[in-house]
Amino acid sequence: MTTSTAESSAPSPSLPEDPVGSVAPRSAGVAAAVRRRLHPDPTVRRLAGITLVNTMGNGLSLAVSVLFFTRVLGLSAAQLGLGMTAAGLCGVLASVPAGRAADRWGARRVLVVLVSVEAVGTAGYALVHSYPAFVALACVVSAVDRGSAAVRNALYAEVLPADRRVAGRAHLRVVTNLGICLGTALGAVALQVDTRPVYLAAILADAASFVAVAVLFHRLAVPRRAVVVQSSAGAAGAAGAAGAAGAAADTGAPNPSDPSHEGAEQGRRRNPALRDGPFLAVTVLNAVLCLQFAVLEVGVPLWIVQETDAPRITVAGTLIVNTLLVIALQVRATRGTEERTAAARACGRAGVLLAASCLVLALAHGLPAIGAAVVVLGGVTLQSLGEVVGQAGGWALSYDLAGERDHGAYQGVFNAGTAAAMMAGPALVSTLVIGYGAVGWAVLGVVLAAAGLAMRPVVRWAGRRDAGLRAG
């Protein structure tokens, strides 16, 4: 992807007239159209290029991995499920130490190492010949994958200004959806060919994408403002980028970014995020909201196939609707969420939308095929609206409550909550919606609404905590 779209301010030389109409004006028009669709921030453009490469590999892997593991490696469904559950647990446990490593050695450096290990691990699947080896390798790959996600979020905090982080992440999420779609399309070709060499080639192509991503991250420039913030956070009595935290440290006053009042001296030895009550509460509530992904990926397909008369192709339709709405609305959904109170309100709206989605999906049971399909797609539309709003609010709170120091520690804890939801979500959602039907959908909706609406009192708690520390 082109990462520089700067136009020269020098006057262009005059050109001879072309009575037929030269290719140059048409080319310039195409180039201008492309430039308009690129993000104006060059750092976000570079991150978008990296994200596109990464997610195309991810989409390719997602499309072929199940058949690769079962048909090429010869694993049973039960073996695969158990192995992936163990891997998911390793991913949850890896997020926090990975975040702390980013604070100590720098997010970019740690991220390059983790992505490189993931490249080797992914390629290693081609050499696996036993179940214990598969489980061990899957745990390693999952650990570095979840760890790199936490470090990546910390890197965004370092390289993007505070007032543009959430919007930047929204742009990258749009690119993520595009990349996964492209990668899945490539995976569909591999599935159609359906041979061992093609499956192996797909897995190795995913590994190669990680190599490319590691190189691109290594070449990513960290702006001077990020270096200054990192140096300040690591020094005793130093300030964050805004200077308020530094003033508190210099005078001995409590630092809102360090709620335990241990000071910057212990910030490197003890994880401040694990002692920040409001932040932990936000992490848990956001993890509950993240059950929405299990609803879309597991609950809705099972509900369509087992409990409704909707055509099975509706499953693909739900994914298409969700992807298109995220691409169209995610950036717009971040507007106005920069301030923590507004972000909490966004989470509340997300919880209500997700609850409404659950109730609408429950209504599909017993309807004729076309009616059931329409109702399911309507429910997924509500779910997608809740998703984009909730993600915007969650990102904003994860950065705002952390302040301008220890980005790795805070993003590591926040990402661990998300990873836990991803691990437990499929089993929880499938049990509720298939085991209890409409009642299960209602219970799930109440839980999601409660989690979203609870963000506002938690944010008020954080405000009282910060005010009390400043006053003290």
Side-chain angles (χ1 to χ4, degrees):
M1 172 177 286
T2 301
T3 58
S4 176
T5 60
E7 297 179 346
S8 172
S9 59
S12 57
S14 59
L15 297 174
E17 293 185 0
D18 184 350
V20 179
S22 66
V23 176
R26 290 195 296 271
S27 300
V30 173
V34 171
R35 282 195 295 270
R36 285 195 298 270
R37 295 182 182 277
L38 295 177
H39 198 280
D41 188 324
T43 301
V44 176
R45 290 200 300 271
R46 292 184 178 90
L47 292 172
I50 298 171
T51 300
L52 184 64
V53 174
N54 189 26
T55 54
M56 283 183 64
N58 290 345
L60 175 60
S61 177
L62 287 171
V64 305
S65 59
V66 171
L67 289 182
F68 173 79
F69 292 138
T70 55
R71 299 185 62 176
V72 176
L73 300 187
L75 303 179
S76 67
Q79 287 177 320
L80 179 60
L82 181 61
M84 297 314 293
T85 300
L89 179 59
C90 291
V92 174
L93 298 176
S95 295
V96 174
R100 293 299 279 163
D103 286 335
R104 182 171 182 179
W105 291 296
R108 183 181 61 178
R109 182 183 302 174
V110 173
L111 189 56
V112 169
V113 172
L114 291 175
V115 173
S116 299
V117 173
E118 190 166 8
V120 175
T122 301
Y125 282 128
L127 304 176
V128 166
H129 296 292
S130 69
Y131 183 62
F134 163 74
V135 174
L137 188 57
C139 287
V140 171
V141 171
S142 179
V144 294
D145 179 71
R146 290 294 82 205
S148 64
V151 177
R152 200 162 48 239
N153 293 340
L155 179 68
Y156 297 157
E158 292 179 5
V159 301
L160 298 177
D163 60 346
R164 295 203 292 272
R165 284 175 194 152
V166 176
R169 284 196 63 174
H171 181 80
L172 296 178
R173 189 159 189 262
V174 170
V175 175
T176 294
N177 279 268
L178 290 172
I180 289 177
C181 287
L182 293 173
T184 302
L186 293 174
V189 175
L191 293 174
Q192 183 64 32
V193 177
D194 193 31
T195 64
R196 177 187 176 90
V198 169
Y199 287 136
L200 286 171
I203 294 298
L204 293 176
D206 185 29
S209 74
F210 286 120
V211 174
V213 167
V215 172
L216 291 171
F217 272 127
H218 178 70
R219 297 175 60 186
L220 180 69
V222 177
R224 180 173 176 78
R225 64 175 178 268
V227 176
V228 171
V229 170
Q230 282 183 333
S231 300
S232 299
D250 290 337
T251 60
N255 184 348
S257 294
D258 186 9
S260 67
H261 193 24
E262 294 293 330
E265 296 88 346
Q266 295 185 6
R268 293 297 180 188
R269 288 180 282 142
R270 299 176 61 187
N271 193 324
L274 294 176
R275 307 191 307 280
D276 188 331
F279 184 83
L280 290 176
V282 166
T283 296
V284 171
L285 295 174
N286 182 76
V288 174
L289 289 177
C290 284
L291 292 176
Q292 63 187 283
F293 298 111
V295 170
L296 179 68
E297 297 168 6
V298 178
V300 170
L302 289 176
W303 183 247
I304 290 171
V305 174
Q306 298 187 23
E307 302 294 335
T308 77
D309 293 324
R312 295 195 174 191
I313 197 174
T314 308
V315 173
T318 62
L319 297 176
I320 293 172
V321 167
N322 175 262
T323 300
L324 292 178
L325 287 176
V326 170
I327 291 173
L329 301 177
Q330 185 64 80
V331 173
R332 185 178 302 177
T334 65
R335 295 172 185 169
T337 61
E338 294 83 3
E339 194 269 327
R340 65 171 62 173
T341 302
R345 286 198 298 267
C347 291
R349 290 194 297 271
V352 172
L353 285 168
L354 293 172
S357 168
C358 291
L359 296 179
V360 170
L361 289 167
L363 297 176
H365 179 72
L367 293 179
I370 300 301
V374 171
V375 169
V376 166
L377 292 176
V380 169
T381 299
L382 290 173
Q383 190 272 343
S384 302
L385 295 176
E387 177 183 333
V388 296
V389 174
Q391 288 290 285
W395 295 334
L397 291 175
S398 75
Y399 288 126
D400 186 272
L401 269 64
E404 287 302 318
R405 58 183 296 273
D406 292 307
H407 292 302
Y410 277 87
Q411 291 304 314
V413 170
F414 193 77
N415 189 75
T418 303
M422 298 297 187
M423 181 184 70
L428 177 61
V429 169
S430 61
T431 298
L432 282 174
V433 304
I434 301 303
Y436 298 95
V439 174
W441 279 115
V443 170
L444 183 58
V446 168
V447 169
L448 291 169
L453 295 173
M455 286 290 194
R456 293 186 69 179
V458 170
V459 165
R460 287 196 293 268
W461 173 21
R464 291 192 300 270
R465 186 276 313 277
D466 292 351
L469 290 174
R470 292 190 183 98

